[in-house]
Amino acid sequence: MNTLKPLTLSTIRISPLTVERFYEAAHEVLALEVLAGRLGMTRIVEEPVLHRPGLALTGFYEHFAWRRLQVLGHAEMAYLRTLDAEERLARWLAMLQWNIPGIILCGRDSETIGGDLLAQADRLGVPILATRCETRSVFSQGPLILHELSAPRASVHGSLVDVGGIGVLLEGPPGIGKSETALGLLRRGNALISDDITMLAINTHGTLTGTAPAHMRGFMEIRGLGLLHVPTLFGIAAVKPESRLDLIVSLRRCSNEDDIDRVGSDVRTSEILGVQIQHLIIPVAAGRDFVNVVETAAATFKMRNSGVDAAAVLDAQLLAHYQSVEKKQ
């Protein structure tokens, strides 16, 4: 396997992950409301993970994950209610003074928290968020939102098309025909993800995904035609909001034949955000049907992933042929 020179990426600067950014992203999904500590909404969540501080509430702080959002569910709230008012306040203050980013109270127990506890959170500027969702729902949705807000991101010049379920990034110098090739693929029933600029990120499964900038979603620019609205021309199914990035196809004007893989036995890759992606270089020449070539490249990618490699099959057949010839001699 040969690693090619990395693509030119533009790193997207991500704003610090604050409690406010989490609240804005999660308040509809988790029905969040702010009970106290509004002045502390700019606190930074240094570790984008949720944590249940059960041991901390008992006074054990040796391994307390204070950099994370703290989640108090039914068990934690039930424990606090077993304490007298003075002890409960002391345990609460001990946790707040660790400079935690904030607390999420879950379920109906969030309605029973004492006003004195909220007053202390206000005084110290520690945001207290409440949701009627159960703890399991918060731990199901919350980590996904935190990852989405903190995942590394980059942008690349290229068009991303879903070709038969394979995410293909068409990449190359300006004017070489990326958008025209993407347009031909759409006419063959494939779906556009992005044109010209593709935003890349790592999802929660460690998979590289691509999407279009929000203001350009569903649009293409073709030299001589201008802007095209893809759903209007080809139907709503011709556009998808995002896709996994499986294959990079670089369109190149190649003067050196040594740069071209004529057999397909040398699988080349490029690294994007730490993920290795298979990378093909297709030479541009007059009269070539790039739409057909890209569709075939996607089909070949599928075939290789299913364990069938045409170059390996041919190699085995040639070896068997020569061995049979040698035996006859």
Side-chain angles (χ1 to χ4, degrees):
M1 186 173 288
N2 184 17
T3 302
L4 296 175
K5 182 180 178 181
L7 299 181
T8 301
L9 302 176
S10 299
T11 302
I12 299 174
R13 186 172 298 174
I14 302 175
S15 302
L17 176 51
T18 62
V19 178
E20 185 172 29
R21 285 189 64 211
F22 173 77
Y23 172 77
E24 290 173 352
H27 80 277
E28 289 188 7
V29 176
L30 298 177
L32 289 173
E33 62 175 313
V34 182
L35 295 186
R38 288 185 179 276
L39 294 179
M41 293 291 281
T42 56
R43 286 181 177 237
I44 295 176
V45 183
E46 296 184 37
E47 295 180 2
V49 184
L50 300 179
H51 179 251
R52 297 188 74 167
L55 287 175
L57 291 175
T58 68
F60 184 79
Y61 284 95
E62 188 170 339
H63 300 287
F64 181 41
W66 60 272
R67 295 178 176 86
R68 306 175 182 181
L69 280 170
Q70 309 299 311
V71 178
L72 272 61
H74 177 72
E76 290 81 8
M77 296 300 291
Y79 171 74
L80 286 175
R81 285 196 295 271
T82 65
L83 307 174
D84 60 53
E86 184 176 347
E87 183 64 21
R88 180 164 55 247
L89 182 59
R91 301 287 178 89
W92 180 259
L93 282 173
M95 184 171 63
L96 296 185
Q97 288 168 352
W98 268 81
N99 200 30
I100 57 177
I103 295 174
I104 303 174
L105 305 177
C106 302
R108 296 181 180 276
D109 290 301
S110 62
E111 301 172 358
T112 65
I113 188 168
D116 52 343
L117 304 186
L118 295 180
Q120 293 302 322
D122 260 331
R123 181 178 66 83
L124 296 172
V126 179
I128 308 297
L129 310 180
T131 173
R132 294 179 69 104
C133 295
E134 296 298 326
T135 311
R136 63 178 178 272
S137 297
V138 173
F139 272 91
S140 172
Q141 299 294 328
L144 299 178
I145 296 169
L146 288 168
H147 177 86
E148 175 68 21
L149 293 173
S150 60
R153 299 174 186 276
S155 66
V156 63
H157 280 280
S159 299
L160 182 59
V161 184
D162 183 310
V163 183
I166 302 298
V168 180
L169 177 68
L170 301 172
E171 183 270 337
I176 202 164
K178 300 183 295 294
S179 294
E180 289 79 359
T181 302
L183 181 62
L185 290 167
L186 297 187
R187 294 185 65 86
R188 300 276 281 265
N190 300 294
L192 177 73
I193 310 301
S194 61
D195 180 56
D196 191 40
I197 295 293
T198 298
M199 318 296 288
L200 302 171
I202 305 292
N203 66 17
T204 53
H205 303 291
T207 302
L208 190 62
T209 62
T211 187
H215 61 285
M216 285 299 294
R217 196 161 295 159
F219 287 91
M220 297 183 71
E221 180 189 355
I222 304 295
R223 282 177 171 80
L225 293 179
L227 284 175
L228 307 179
H229 188 236
V230 174
T232 301
L233 290 173
F234 301 104
I236 193 66
V239 176
K240 288 186 177 180
E242 69 174 13
S243 168
R244 185 179 63 243
L245 175 55
D246 299 302
L247 178 65
I248 302 168
V249 173
S250 291
L251 304 180
R252 291 284 187 269
R253 296 182 181 92
C254 296
S255 57
N256 185 357
E257 284 293 318
D258 292 337
D259 294 335
I260 307 305
D261 185 5
R262 300 181 65 89
V263 178
S265 58
D266 185 16
V267 178
R268 301 176 179 183
T269 65
S270 285
E271 182 178 313
I272 299 180
L273 297 177
V275 180
Q276 294 292 335
I277 302 296
Q278 189 171 325
H279 192 162
L280 301 178
I281 296 178
I282 306 297
V284 172
R288 295 199 75 185
D289 184 354
F290 294 111
V291 174
N292 189 38
V293 170
V294 172
E295 277 195 323
T296 304
T300 302
F301 177 87
K302 275 185 180 179
M303 184 179 69
R304 276 185 169 163
N305 276 6
S306 66
V308 179
D309 189 327
V313 171
L314 177 60
D315 186 58
Q317 288 180 353
L318 289 174
L319 180 61
H321 171 72
Y322 290 130
Q323 287 175 343
S324 66
V325 170
E326 288 178 358
K327 285 181 180 179
K328 289 178 181 178
Q329 291 176 348

